[in-house]
Amino acid sequence: MTRTQQPALTLFAVGMIGLGILALIYGDFALVWQPVAPWFPGRTFLAYASGVIMLLCGLGLLFRRTASWSIRILFPYLIVWALLKVPALVVAPQMEAVWLGFGELVVLLAGGWTLFARLSGMPERSPLAFATGEKGVRIARYLFAISLIPIGLSHIMYVKETAALVPAWLPYRVGWAYLTGAGQIACGLGVLLSILPRMAAFTEAGC
């Protein structure tokens, strides 16, 4: 990672640490994402294990000596976390909220994939070698771009809920909900179609 990329690594690591702490405090999957159904056996244990993985791997990413192994552990974990949402997509594909949840998880996966491509140091003969280097970064970029579309669409589909999240002192709260939704979709398309992709990525990060 270069010096200009280091803040992104640090922010991702801090985000993982925060999610891990939430999971450990509440004994649940970081409150927001629910990859395991409430009836699943051993769900609480899995939630705590999830929290430990995120916390320790997040801390490991902050140090050069442990960053490689941390992302090697975190990357497959994020893949499994995202895949656990797929059954919900099959059962209720007409619900945009399901696509929103999946998109949020894939954004995390895209970030983890980018770090895996840059930091894992996987040998060329490894089955995961395809996920490293510039090819891996490109795949992660496409995942990131595609996942922004359902996230932005949710702002429009659930405009009342989104408007309620806008600070009360801002005028035209519904307008902000529509604007942020359209903006996220535009950012996703910009990255996906290489239309001012750097500006689109920075704009999405700023949001």
Coordinates of all heavy atoms in Angstrom, one line a residue, residues 91-138:
V91 N -35.5 -16.2 -1.9 CA -36.8 -16.3 -1.4 C -37.6 -15.1 -1.7 O -38.8 -15.2 -2.0 CB -36.7 -16.5 0.2 CG1 -38.1 -16.4 0.8 CG2 -36.1 -17.9 0.5
A92 N -37.0 -13.9 -1.6 CA -37.8 -12.7 -1.7 C -37.0 -11.7 -2.7 O -36.6 -10.6 -2.2 CB -38.0 -12.0 -0.4
P93 N -36.9 -12.1 -3.9 CA -36.1 -11.2 -4.9 C -36.8 -9.9 -5.2 O -36.2 -8.9 -5.6 CB -36.0 -12.1 -6.1 CG -37.1 -13.0 -6.1 CD -37.3 -13.3 -4.6
Q94 N -38.2 -9.9 -4.9 CA -38.9 -8.6 -5.2 C -38.8 -7.6 -4.1 O -39.2 -6.4 -4.3 CB -40.4 -9.0 -5.4 CG -41.2 -9.3 -4.1 CD -40.9 -10.7 -3.5 OE1 -40.1 -11.4 -4.1 NE2 -41.6 -11.1 -2.5
M95 N -38.2 -7.9 -3.0 CA -38.0 -6.9 -1.9 C -36.7 -6.2 -2.1 O -35.6 -6.8 -2.0 CB -38.0 -7.6 -0.6 CG -39.4 -8.2 -0.2 SD -39.3 -8.9 1.5 CE -38.8 -7.5 2.5
E96 N -36.8 -4.9 -2.2 CA -35.6 -4.1 -2.4 C -34.7 -4.1 -1.2 O -33.5 -4.0 -1.2 CB -35.9 -2.7 -2.9 CG -34.9 -2.0 -3.7 CD -33.6 -1.6 -3.0 OE1 -33.8 -1.2 -1.8 OE2 -32.5 -1.6 -3.6
A97 N -35.4 -4.2 0.0 CA -34.6 -4.2 1.2 C -33.6 -5.3 1.3 O -32.5 -5.2 1.9 CB -35.6 -4.3 2.4
V98 N -34.0 -6.5 0.7 CA -33.1 -7.6 0.7 C -31.8 -7.3 -0.1 O -30.7 -7.6 0.2 CB -33.8 -8.9 0.2 CG1 -32.8 -10.0 0.1 CG2 -35.0 -9.2 1.1
W99 N -32.1 -6.6 -1.3 CA -31.0 -6.3 -2.1 C -30.1 -5.2 -1.5 O -28.9 -5.2 -1.7 CB -31.5 -5.8 -3.5 CG -32.1 -6.9 -4.3 CD1 -33.4 -7.2 -4.4 CD2 -31.4 -7.8 -5.1 NE1 -33.6 -8.3 -5.2 CE2 -32.3 -8.7 -5.7 CE3 -30.0 -8.0 -5.4 CZ2 -32.0 -9.7 -6.6 CZ3 -29.7 -9.0 -6.3 CH2 -30.6 -9.9 -6.8
L100 N -30.7 -4.3 -0.7 CA -30.0 -3.3 0.1 C -29.0 -4.0 1.0 O -27.8 -3.7 1.1 CB -31.0 -2.4 0.8 CG -30.4 -1.6 2.0 CD1 -29.4 -0.6 1.4 CD2 -31.5 -0.9 2.8
G101 N -29.5 -5.0 1.8 CA -28.7 -5.7 2.8 C -27.5 -6.4 2.1 O -26.4 -6.4 2.6
F102 N -27.8 -7.0 1.0 CA -26.8 -7.7 0.2 C -25.8 -6.7 -0.3 O -24.6 -7.0 -0.3 CB -27.4 -8.5 -0.9 CG -26.5 -9.3 -1.7 CD1 -25.8 -10.4 -1.2 CD2 -26.2 -9.0 -3.0 CE1 -24.9 -11.2 -1.9 CE2 -25.3 -9.8 -3.8 CZ -24.6 -10.9 -3.2
G103 N -26.2 -5.6 -0.8 CA -25.3 -4.6 -1.4 C -24.4 -4.0 -0.3 O -23.2 -3.8 -0.6
E104 N -24.9 -3.8 0.9 CA -24.1 -3.3 2.0 C -23.0 -4.3 2.3 O -21.8 -3.9 2.6 CB -24.9 -3.0 3.2 CG -25.8 -1.8 3.0 CD -26.8 -1.7 4.2 OE1 -27.2 -2.7 4.8 OE2 -27.2 -0.5 4.4
L105 N -23.3 -5.6 2.3 CA -22.3 -6.6 2.6 C -21.3 -6.7 1.5 O -20.1 -6.9 1.7 CB -22.9 -8.0 2.8 CG -23.8 -8.1 4.1 CD1 -24.5 -9.5 4.1 CD2 -22.9 -8.0 5.3
V106 N -21.7 -6.6 0.2 CA -20.8 -6.7 -0.9 C -19.8 -5.5 -0.9 O -18.7 -5.6 -1.4 CB -21.6 -6.8 -2.2 CG1 -20.6 -6.8 -3.4 CG2 -22.3 -8.1 -2.2
V107 N -20.3 -4.3 -0.5 CA -19.4 -3.2 -0.4 C -18.2 -3.5 0.6 O -17.1 -3.2 0.3 CB -20.2 -1.9 0.2 CG1 -19.2 -0.8 0.6 CG2 -21.0 -1.3 -1.0
L108 N -18.5 -4.1 1.7 CA -17.5 -4.5 2.6 C -16.6 -5.6 2.0 O -15.4 -5.5 2.1 CB -18.1 -5.1 3.9 CG -18.7 -4.2 4.9 CD1 -19.3 -5.0 6.1 CD2 -17.6 -3.2 5.5
L109 N -17.2 -6.5 1.3 CA -16.4 -7.5 0.6 C -15.5 -6.9 -0.5 O -14.3 -7.3 -0.6 CB -17.3 -8.5 -0.1 CG -16.7 -9.6 -1.0 CD1 -15.6 -10.4 -0.3 CD2 -17.7 -10.5 -1.6
A110 N -16.0 -5.9 -1.2 CA -15.2 -5.2 -2.2 C -13.9 -4.6 -1.6 O -12.8 -4.6 -2.1 CB -16.0 -4.2 -3.0
G111 N -14.2 -3.9 -0.4 CA -13.0 -3.3 0.3 C -12.0 -4.3 0.8 O -10.8 -4.2 0.6
G112 N -12.5 -5.4 1.3 CA -11.7 -6.5 1.8 C -10.9 -7.2 0.6 O -9.7 -7.5 0.7
W113 N -11.6 -7.3 -0.5 CA -11.0 -7.9 -1.7 C -9.9 -7.0 -2.2 O -8.8 -7.5 -2.6 CB -12.0 -8.1 -2.8 CG -11.6 -9.1 -3.9 CD1 -10.4 -9.2 -4.4 CD2 -12.5 -10.0 -4.5 NE1 -10.4 -10.2 -5.4 CE2 -11.7 -10.7 -5.5 CE3 -13.8 -10.3 -4.4 CZ2 -12.2 -11.7 -6.3 CZ3 -14.3 -11.3 -5.3 CH2 -13.5 -12.0 -6.2
T114 N -10.1 -5.7 -2.2 CA -9.0 -4.8 -2.7 C -7.8 -5.0 -1.8 O -6.6 -5.0 -2.3 CB -9.5 -3.4 -2.6 OG1 -10.7 -3.2 -3.5 CG2 -8.4 -2.4 -3.1
L115 N -8.0 -5.0 -0.5 CA -6.8 -5.2 0.4 C -6.2 -6.6 0.2 O -5.0 -6.7 0.3 CB -7.3 -5.0 1.9 CG -7.8 -3.6 2.3 CD1 -8.2 -3.6 3.7 CD2 -6.7 -2.6 2.0
F116 N -7.0 -7.6 0.0 CA -6.5 -8.9 -0.2 C -5.6 -8.9 -1.5 O -4.5 -9.5 -1.5 CB -7.6 -9.9 -0.4 CG -7.2 -11.4 -0.6 CD1 -6.8 -12.1 0.5 CD2 -7.1 -11.9 -1.9 CE1 -6.4 -13.5 0.3 CE2 -6.7 -13.2 -2.1 CZ -6.3 -14.0 -1.0
A117 N -6.1 -8.3 -2.5 CA -5.3 -8.2 -3.8 C -4.0 -7.5 -3.6 O -3.0 -7.9 -4.2 CB -6.1 -7.5 -4.8
R118 N -3.9 -6.5 -2.7 CA -2.7 -5.7 -2.5 C -1.8 -6.3 -1.4 O -0.6 -6.1 -1.6 CB -3.1 -4.3 -2.1 CG -3.9 -3.5 -3.1 CD -3.1 -3.2 -4.3 NE -3.7 -2.2 -5.2 CZ -3.3 -2.0 -6.4 NH1 -2.3 -2.6 -7.0 NH2 -4.0 -1.0 -7.1
L119 N -2.4 -6.9 -0.4 CA -1.5 -7.2 0.8 C -1.3 -8.7 1.1 O -0.5 -9.0 1.9 CB -2.2 -6.5 2.0 CG -2.4 -5.0 2.0 CD1 -3.1 -4.6 3.3 CD2 -1.1 -4.3 1.9
S120 N -2.1 -9.6 0.5 CA -2.1 -11.0 0.9 C -0.8 -11.7 0.6 O -0.4 -12.6 1.4 CB -3.3 -11.7 0.3 OG -3.1 -11.8 -1.1
G121 N -0.1 -11.3 -0.5 CA 1.1 -12.0 -0.8 C 0.9 -13.4 -1.1 O 1.8 -14.2 -0.8
M122 N -0.2 -13.8 -1.7 CA -0.4 -15.2 -2.0 C 0.5 -15.7 -3.1 O 0.8 -15.0 -4.1 CB -1.9 -15.4 -2.5 CG -2.9 -15.0 -1.5 SD -2.9 -16.0 0.0 CE -3.5 -17.6 -0.7
P123 N 1.0 -16.9 -3.0 CA 1.9 -17.5 -4.0 C 1.1 -17.7 -5.4 O -0.1 -17.8 -5.4 CB 2.3 -18.8 -3.5 CG 1.3 -19.2 -2.4 CD 0.8 -17.9 -1.9
E124 N 1.9 -17.7 -6.5 CA 1.3 -17.7 -7.8 C 0.5 -19.0 -8.0 O -0.5 -19.1 -8.8 CB 2.3 -17.6 -8.9 CG 3.0 -16.2 -8.9 CD 4.0 -16.1 -10.0 OE1 4.1 -17.1 -10.8 OE2 4.6 -15.1 -10.2
R125 N 0.9 -20.1 -7.3 CA 0.2 -21.4 -7.5 C -1.0 -21.5 -6.6 O -1.7 -22.6 -6.7 CB 1.2 -22.5 -7.3 CG 2.3 -22.6 -8.3 CD 3.2 -23.8 -8.0 NE 4.3 -23.9 -8.9 CZ 5.2 -24.9 -9.0 NH1 5.1 -25.8 -8.0 NH2 6.2 -24.9 -9.8
S126 N -1.3 -20.6 -5.8 CA -2.5 -20.7 -4.9 C -3.8 -20.6 -5.7 O -3.9 -19.9 -6.7 CB -2.4 -19.5 -3.9 OG -3.6 -19.4 -3.2
P127 N -4.8 -21.4 -5.3 CA -6.1 -21.3 -5.9 C -6.7 -19.9 -5.9 O -7.6 -19.6 -6.7 CB -7.0 -22.3 -5.1 CG -6.0 -23.2 -4.5 CD -4.8 -22.3 -4.2
L128 N -6.2 -19.1 -4.9 CA -6.8 -17.7 -4.8 C -5.9 -16.7 -5.5 O -6.1 -15.5 -5.4 CB -6.9 -17.3 -3.3 CG -8.0 -18.1 -2.5 CD1 -7.9 -17.7 -1.1 CD2 -9.4 -17.8 -3.1
A129 N -4.9 -17.1 -6.3 CA -4.1 -16.2 -7.0 C -4.8 -15.3 -8.0 O -4.4 -14.1 -8.2 CB -3.0 -17.0 -7.8
F130 N -5.9 -15.8 -8.5 CA -6.7 -15.0 -9.4 C -7.3 -13.7 -8.8 O -7.6 -12.7 -9.4 CB -7.9 -15.8 -10.0 CG -9.0 -16.0 -9.1 CD1 -10.1 -15.1 -9.1 CD2 -9.0 -17.0 -8.1 CE1 -11.2 -15.3 -8.2 CE2 -10.1 -17.1 -7.2 CZ -11.1 -16.3 -7.3
A131 N -7.4 -13.8 -7.4 CA -8.0 -12.7 -6.7 C -7.0 -11.6 -6.3 O -7.4 -10.7 -5.5 CB -8.8 -13.2 -5.5
T132 N -5.8 -11.8 -6.7 CA -4.7 -10.9 -6.2 C -4.3 -10.0 -7.4 O -4.7 -10.2 -8.6 CB -3.5 -11.6 -5.7 OG1 -3.0 -12.5 -6.7 CG2 -4.0 -12.5 -4.5
G133 N -3.4 -9.0 -7.1 CA -2.9 -8.2 -8.2 C -3.9 -7.3 -8.8 O -5.0 -7.1 -8.2
E134 N -3.6 -6.8 -9.9 CA -4.5 -5.8 -10.6 C -5.8 -6.5 -11.0 O -6.9 -5.8 -11.0 CB -3.8 -5.3 -11.9 CG -2.7 -4.3 -11.5 CD -3.1 -3.2 -10.6 OE1 -4.2 -2.6 -10.9 OE2 -2.4 -2.8 -9.7
K135 N -5.8 -7.8 -11.4 CA -7.0 -8.5 -11.7 C -8.0 -8.5 -10.5 O -9.2 -8.3 -10.6 CB -6.7 -9.9 -12.2 CG -7.9 -10.7 -12.6 CD -7.6 -12.1 -13.1 CE -8.8 -12.8 -13.5 NZ -8.4 -14.2 -14.0
G136 N -7.4 -8.8 -9.3 CA -8.2 -8.8 -8.1 C -8.8 -7.5 -7.8 O -10.0 -7.4 -7.4
V137 N -8.0 -6.4 -8.0 CA -8.5 -5.1 -7.7 C -9.6 -4.7 -8.7 O -10.6 -4.1 -8.3 CB -7.3 -4.1 -7.8 CG1 -7.9 -2.6 -7.8 CG2 -6.3 -4.3 -6.8
R138 N -9.5 -5.1 -9.9 CA -10.5 -4.8 -10.9 C -11.8 -5.5 -10.6 O -12.9 -5.0 -10.7 CB -10.0 -5.3 -12.3 CG -11.0 -4.9 -13.4 CD -10.3 -5.0 -14.8 NE -9.8 -6.3 -15.1 CZ -8.5 -6.7 -15.1 NH1 -7.6 -5.7 -14.8 NH2 -8.1 -7.9 -15.3

